[in-house]
mmCIF file of all heavy atoms in Angstrom:
data_model
loop_
_atom_site.group_PDB
_atom_site.id
_atom_site.type_symbol
_atom_site.label_atom_id
_atom_site.label_comp_id
_atom_site.label_asym_id
_atom_site.label_seq_id
_atom_site.Cartn_x
_atom_site.Cartn_y
_atom_site.Cartn_z
ATOM 1 N N HIS B 247 -28.429 -29.490 -6.116
ATOM 2 C CA HIS B 247 -28.521 -28.037 -6.278
ATOM 3 C C HIS B 247 -27.360 -27.551 -7.155
ATOM 4 O O HIS B 247 -27.547 -26.759 -8.087
ATOM 5 C CB HIS B 247 -28.488 -27.371 -4.899
ATOM 6 C CG HIS B 247 -28.618 -25.880 -4.956
ATOM 7 N ND1 HIS B 247 -29.780 -25.245 -5.334
ATOM 8 C CD2 HIS B 247 -27.717 -24.895 -4.710
ATOM 9 C CE1 HIS B 247 -29.588 -23.928 -5.303
ATOM 10 N NE2 HIS B 247 -28.345 -23.697 -4.935
ATOM 11 N N THR B 248 -26.171 -28.067 -6.877
ATOM 12 C CA THR B 248 -24.995 -27.710 -7.680
ATOM 13 C C THR B 248 -25.162 -28.195 -9.125
ATOM 14 O O THR B 248 -24.909 -27.445 -10.072
ATOM 15 C CB THR B 248 -23.727 -28.337 -7.055
ATOM 16 O OG1 THR B 248 -23.575 -27.815 -5.736
ATOM 17 C CG2 THR B 248 -22.497 -28.017 -7.875
ATOM 18 N N LEU B 249 -25.582 -29.432 -9.282
ATOM 19 C CA LEU B 249 -25.745 -29.984 -10.638
ATOM 20 C C LEU B 249 -26.746 -29.154 -11.437
ATOM 21 O O LEU B 249 -26.517 -28.842 -12.613
ATOM 22 C CB LEU B 249 -26.200 -31.443 -10.556
ATOM 23 C CG LEU B 249 -25.207 -32.416 -9.918
ATOM 24 C CD1 LEU B 249 -25.856 -33.793 -9.739
ATOM 25 C CD2 LEU B 249 -23.933 -32.541 -10.737
ATOM 26 N N ASP B 250 -27.843 -28.783 -10.811
ATOM 27 C CA ASP B 250 -28.863 -27.986 -11.509
ATOM 28 C C ASP B 250 -28.301 -26.639 -11.960
ATOM 29 O O ASP B 250 -28.611 -26.160 -13.052
ATOM 30 C CB ASP B 250 -30.080 -27.754 -10.598
ATOM 31 C CG ASP B 250 -30.962 -28.993 -10.489
ATOM 32 O OD1 ASP B 250 -30.791 -29.915 -11.316
ATOM 33 O OD2 ASP B 250 -31.803 -29.039 -9.576
ATOM 34 N N ARG B 251 -27.483 -26.021 -11.097
ATOM 35 C CA ARG B 251 -26.904 -24.723 -11.457
ATOM 36 C C ARG B 251 -26.033 -24.839 -12.715
ATOM 37 O O ARG B 251 -26.050 -23.964 -13.575
ATOM 38 C CB ARG B 251 -26.083 -24.160 -10.298
ATOM 39 C CG ARG B 251 -26.954 -23.534 -9.198
ATOM 40 C CD ARG B 251 -26.133 -23.202 -7.961
ATOM 41 N NE ARG B 251 -24.886 -22.583 -8.319
ATOM 42 C CZ ARG B 251 -23.679 -22.977 -7.888
ATOM 43 N NH1 ARG B 251 -23.582 -23.985 -7.045
ATOM 44 N NH2 ARG B 251 -22.601 -22.366 -8.275
ATOM 45 N N PHE B 252 -25.288 -25.934 -12.817
ATOM 46 C CA PHE B 252 -24.394 -26.057 -13.964
ATOM 47 C C PHE B 252 -25.049 -26.742 -15.158
ATOM 48 O O PHE B 252 -24.592 -26.606 -16.281
ATOM 49 C CB PHE B 252 -23.094 -26.761 -13.546
ATOM 50 C CG PHE B 252 -22.264 -25.898 -12.643
ATOM 51 C CD1 PHE B 252 -22.291 -26.060 -11.267
ATOM 52 C CD2 PHE B 252 -21.506 -24.862 -13.175
ATOM 53 C CE1 PHE B 252 -21.562 -25.219 -10.435
ATOM 54 C CE2 PHE B 252 -20.770 -24.018 -12.354
ATOM 55 C CZ PHE B 252 -20.803 -24.195 -10.982
ATOM 56 N N ALA B 253 -26.122 -27.461 -14.898
ATOM 57 C CA ALA B 253 -26.820 -28.137 -16.003
ATOM 58 C C ALA B 253 -27.508 -27.138 -16.919
ATOM 59 O O ALA B 253 -27.807 -27.444 -18.070
ATOM 60 C CB ALA B 253 -27.843 -29.132 -15.447
ATOM 61 N N ARG B 254 -27.761 -25.923 -16.424
ATOM 62 C CA ARG B 254 -28.559 -25.007 -17.230
ATOM 63 C C ARG B 254 -27.829 -24.472 -18.440
ATOM 64 O O ARG B 254 -28.434 -23.782 -19.270
ATOM 65 C CB ARG B 254 -29.126 -23.876 -16.372
ATOM 66 C CG ARG B 254 -28.163 -22.834 -15.897
ATOM 67 C CD ARG B 254 -28.957 -21.825 -15.032
ATOM 68 N NE ARG B 254 -28.289 -20.579 -14.810
ATOM 69 C CZ ARG B 254 -27.460 -20.328 -13.811
ATOM 70 N NH1 ARG B 254 -27.182 -21.281 -12.952
ATOM 71 N NH2 ARG B 254 -26.911 -19.144 -13.679
ATOM 72 N N TYR B 255 -26.529 -24.797 -18.568
ATOM 73 C CA TYR B 255 -25.825 -24.382 -19.781
ATOM 74 C C TYR B 255 -25.998 -25.386 -20.918
ATOM 75 O O TYR B 255 -25.474 -25.194 -22.014
ATOM 76 C CB TYR B 255 -24.342 -24.138 -19.465
ATOM 77 C CG TYR B 255 -24.197 -23.095 -18.377
ATOM 78 C CD1 TYR B 255 -23.764 -23.440 -17.100
ATOM 79 C CD2 TYR B 255 -24.584 -21.786 -18.614
ATOM 80 C CE1 TYR B 255 -23.687 -22.481 -16.092
ATOM 81 C CE2 TYR B 255 -24.518 -20.825 -17.615
ATOM 82 C CZ TYR B 255 -24.073 -21.183 -16.361
ATOM 83 O OH TYR B 255 -24.016 -20.239 -15.366
ATOM 84 N N GLY B 256 -26.716 -26.467 -20.644
ATOM 85 C CA GLY B 256 -27.031 -27.425 -21.697
ATOM 86 C C GLY B 256 -25.854 -28.297 -22.105
ATOM 87 O O GLY B 256 -25.904 -28.953 -23.141
ATOM 88 N N LEU B 257 -24.811 -28.302 -21.301
ATOM 89 C CA LEU B 257 -23.635 -29.120 -21.609
ATOM 90 C C LEU B 257 -23.582 -30.322 -20.664
ATOM 91 O O LEU B 257 -24.054 -30.242 -19.532
ATOM 92 C CB LEU B 257 -22.363 -28.286 -21.437
ATOM 93 C CG LEU B 257 -22.170 -27.177 -22.468
ATOM 94 C CD1 LEU B 257 -21.095 -26.192 -22.019
ATOM 95 C CD2 LEU B 257 -21.799 -27.790 -23.821
ATOM 96 N N PRO B 258 -22.991 -31.440 -21.131
ATOM 97 C CA PRO B 258 -22.842 -32.586 -20.226
ATOM 98 C C PRO B 258 -21.986 -32.203 -19.024
ATOM 99 O O PRO B 258 -21.050 -31.404 -19.139
ATOM 100 C CB PRO B 258 -22.100 -33.621 -21.085
ATOM 101 C CG PRO B 258 -22.230 -33.160 -22.493
ATOM 102 C CD PRO B 258 -22.399 -31.673 -22.462
ATOM 103 N N LEU B 259 -22.316 -32.772 -17.890
ATOM 104 C CA LEU B 259 -21.518 -32.559 -16.678
ATOM 105 C C LEU B 259 -20.641 -33.791 -16.441
ATOM 106 O O LEU B 259 -21.145 -34.920 -16.419
ATOM 107 C CB LEU B 259 -22.432 -32.340 -15.470
ATOM 108 C CG LEU B 259 -23.412 -31.171 -15.572
ATOM 109 C CD1 LEU B 259 -24.222 -31.041 -14.278
ATOM 110 C CD2 LEU B 259 -22.687 -29.866 -15.897
ATOM 111 N N HIS B 260 -19.342 -33.547 -16.286
ATOM 112 C CA HIS B 260 -18.411 -34.625 -15.955
ATOM 113 C C HIS B 260 -17.950 -34.441 -14.511
ATOM 114 O O HIS B 260 -17.372 -33.400 -14.172
ATOM 115 C CB HIS B 260 -17.196 -34.577 -16.886
ATOM 116 C CG HIS B 260 -17.490 -35.048 -18.277
ATOM 117 N ND1 HIS B 260 -16.512 -35.439 -19.160
ATOM 118 C CD2 HIS B 260 -18.661 -35.198 -18.940
ATOM 119 C CE1 HIS B 260 -17.068 -35.808 -20.313
ATOM 120 N NE2 HIS B 260 -18.364 -35.666 -20.200
ATOM 121 N N MET B 261 -18.237 -35.430 -13.685
ATOM 122 C CA MET B 261 -17.765 -35.379 -12.295
ATOM 123 C C MET B 261 -16.336 -35.913 -12.332
ATOM 124 O O MET B 261 -16.094 -37.099 -12.183
ATOM 125 C CB MET B 261 -18.669 -36.221 -11.393
ATOM 126 C CG MET B 261 -20.161 -35.912 -11.563
ATOM 127 S SD MET B 261 -20.578 -34.169 -11.339
ATOM 128 C CE MET B 261 -20.198 -33.989 -9.597
ATOM 129 N N THR B 262 -15.403 -34.999 -12.527
ATOM 130 C CA THR B 262 -14.050 -35.380 -12.936
ATOM 131 C C THR B 262 -13.182 -35.933 -11.816
ATOM 132 O O THR B 262 -12.280 -36.729 -12.081
ATOM 133 C CB THR B 262 -13.329 -34.157 -13.507
ATOM 134 O OG1 THR B 262 -13.494 -33.084 -12.572
ATOM 135 C CG2 THR B 262 -13.924 -33.777 -14.839
ATOM 136 N N GLU B 263 -13.423 -35.465 -10.591
ATOM 137 C CA GLU B 263 -12.506 -35.821 -9.503
ATOM 138 C C GLU B 263 -13.325 -36.027 -8.244
ATOM 139 O O GLU B 263 -13.691 -35.084 -7.563
ATOM 140 C CB GLU B 263 -11.456 -34.721 -9.298
ATOM 141 C CG GLU B 263 -10.746 -34.346 -10.599
ATOM 142 C CD GLU B 263 -9.592 -33.360 -10.421
ATOM 143 O OE1 GLU B 263 -9.099 -33.207 -9.286
ATOM 144 O OE2 GLU B 263 -9.193 -32.745 -11.424
ATOM 145 N N THR B 264 -13.602 -37.286 -7.952
ATOM 146 C CA THR B 264 -14.496 -37.633 -6.855
ATOM 147 C C THR B 264 -13.705 -38.344 -5.772
ATOM 148 O O THR B 264 -13.046 -39.345 -6.050
ATOM 149 C CB THR B 264 -15.612 -38.562 -7.365
ATOM 150 O OG1 THR B 264 -16.206 -37.973 -8.522
ATOM 151 C CG2 THR B 264 -16.655 -38.812 -6.299
ATOM 152 N N THR B 265 -13.776 -37.823 -4.563
ATOM 153 C CA THR B 265 -13.054 -38.438 -3.457
ATOM 154 C C THR B 265 -13.926 -38.510 -2.219
ATOM 155 O O THR B 265 -14.599 -37.539 -1.874
ATOM 156 C CB THR B 265 -11.799 -37.609 -3.089
ATOM 157 O OG1 THR B 265 -11.065 -37.330 -4.267
ATOM 158 C CG2 THR B 265 -10.922 -38.343 -2.113
ATOM 159 N N LEU B 266 -13.901 -39.644 -1.571
ATOM 160 C CA LEU B 266 -14.534 -39.816 -0.257
ATOM 161 C C LEU B 266 -13.575 -40.653 0.581
ATOM 162 O O LEU B 266 -13.108 -41.704 0.115
ATOM 163 C CB LEU B 266 -15.879 -40.540 -0.394
ATOM 164 C CG LEU B 266 -16.996 -39.742 -1.076
ATOM 165 C CD1 LEU B 266 -18.076 -40.662 -1.623
ATOM 166 C CD2 LEU B 266 -17.604 -38.741 -0.093
ATOM 167 N N VAL B 267 -13.238 -40.212 1.767
ATOM 168 C CA VAL B 267 -12.227 -40.916 2.555
ATOM 169 C C VAL B 267 -12.833 -41.970 3.480
ATOM 170 O O VAL B 267 -13.989 -41.866 3.883
ATOM 171 C CB VAL B 267 -11.359 -39.938 3.385
ATOM 172 C CG1 VAL B 267 -10.541 -39.040 2.467
ATOM 173 C CG2 VAL B 267 -12.209 -39.119 4.336
ATOM 174 N N SER B 268 -12.010 -42.963 3.803
ATOM 175 C CA SER B 268 -12.448 -44.042 4.708
ATOM 176 C C SER B 268 -11.715 -43.943 6.041
ATOM 177 O O SER B 268 -11.555 -44.942 6.730
ATOM 178 C CB SER B 268 -12.208 -45.401 4.055
ATOM 179 O OG SER B 268 -10.822 -45.663 3.973
ATOM 180 N N GLY B 269 -11.257 -42.739 6.378
ATOM 181 C CA GLY B 269 -10.653 -42.502 7.693
ATOM 182 C C GLY B 269 -11.350 -41.302 8.306
ATOM 183 O O GLY B 269 -12.452 -40.935 7.894
ATOM 184 N N HIS B 270 -10.659 -40.637 9.258
ATOM 185 C CA HIS B 270 -11.258 -39.415 9.835
ATOM 186 C C HIS B 270 -11.360 -38.357 8.747
ATOM 187 O O HIS B 270 -10.612 -38.383 7.762
ATOM 188 C CB HIS B 270 -10.424 -38.923 11.020
ATOM 189 C CG HIS B 270 -9.081 -38.372 10.622
ATOM 190 N ND1 HIS B 270 -7.933 -39.145 10.605
ATOM 191 C CD2 HIS B 270 -8.708 -37.136 10.213
ATOM 192 C CE1 HIS B 270 -6.925 -38.401 10.220
ATOM 193 N NE2 HIS B 270 -7.342 -37.186 9.964
ATOM 194 N N LEU B 271 -12.289 -37.430 8.927
ATOM 195 C CA LEU B 271 -12.466 -36.364 7.934
ATOM 196 C C LEU B 271 -11.449 -35.258 8.161
ATOM 197 O O LEU B 271 -11.028 -35.006 9.290
ATOM 198 C CB LEU B 271 -13.879 -35.789 8.039
ATOM 199 C CG LEU B 271 -15.018 -36.769 7.770
ATOM 200 C CD1 LEU B 271 -16.368 -36.070 7.919
ATOM 201 C CD2 LEU B 271 -14.892 -37.394 6.376
ATOM 202 N N MET B 272 -11.074 -34.599 7.060
ATOM 203 C CA MET B 272 -10.196 -33.435 7.170
ATOM 204 C C MET B 272 -10.977 -32.322 7.874
ATOM 205 O O MET B 272 -12.171 -32.147 7.613
ATOM 206 C CB MET B 272 -9.782 -32.981 5.766
ATOM 207 C CG MET B 272 -8.712 -31.896 5.765
ATOM 208 S SD MET B 272 -8.378 -31.266 4.081
ATOM 209 C CE MET B 272 -7.495 -32.629 3.338
ATOM 210 N N PRO B 273 -10.309 -31.573 8.783
ATOM 211 C CA PRO B 273 -11.044 -30.528 9.514
ATOM 212 C C PRO B 273 -11.668 -29.513 8.553
ATOM 213 O O PRO B 273 -11.069 -29.172 7.533
ATOM 214 C CB PRO B 273 -9.954 -29.862 10.368
ATOM 215 C CG PRO B 273 -8.856 -30.864 10.468
ATOM 216 C CD PRO B 273 -8.901 -31.660 9.193
ATOM 217 N N PRO B 274 -12.870 -29.031 8.904
ATOM 218 C CA PRO B 274 -13.610 -28.167 7.978
ATOM 219 C C PRO B 274 -12.940 -26.818 7.734
ATOM 220 O O PRO B 274 -13.228 -26.168 6.722
ATOM 221 C CB PRO B 274 -14.962 -27.968 8.678
ATOM 222 C CG PRO B 274 -14.724 -28.318 10.105
ATOM 223 C CD PRO B 274 -13.615 -29.320 10.123
ATOM 224 N N GLU B 275 -12.033 -26.389 8.639
ATOM 225 C CA GLU B 275 -11.455 -25.052 8.474
ATOM 226 C C GLU B 275 -10.363 -25.018 7.406
ATOM 227 O O GLU B 275 -9.924 -23.930 7.008
ATOM 228 C CB GLU B 275 -10.915 -24.514 9.810
ATOM 229 C CG GLU B 275 -9.760 -25.292 10.404
ATOM 230 C CD GLU B 275 -10.223 -26.425 11.309
ATOM 231 O OE1 GLU B 275 -11.417 -26.804 11.232
ATOM 232 O OE2 GLU B 275 -9.395 -26.950 12.080
ATOM 233 N N ILE B 276 -9.915 -26.182 6.943
ATOM 234 C CA ILE B 276 -8.900 -26.201 5.873
ATOM 235 C C ILE B 276 -9.546 -25.687 4.575
ATOM 236 O O ILE B 276 -10.600 -26.173 4.168
ATOM 237 C CB ILE B 276 -8.372 -27.636 5.647
ATOM 238 C CG1 ILE B 276 -7.810 -28.220 6.945
ATOM 239 C CG2 ILE B 276 -7.339 -27.660 4.527
ATOM 240 C CD1 ILE B 276 -6.513 -27.653 7.402
#
Side-chain angles (χ1 to χ4, degrees):
Chain B
H247 182 69
T248 299
L249 296 173
D250 284 345
R251 282 170 44 231
F252 291 98
R254 72 181 197 271
Y255 302 110
L257 291 165
L259 302 182
H260 286 199
M261 310 305 294
T262 50
E263 308 186 18
T264 309
T265 311
L266 291 159
V267 295
S268 69
H270 70 266
L271 299 180
M272 188 186 288
E275 64 271 16
I276 304 288

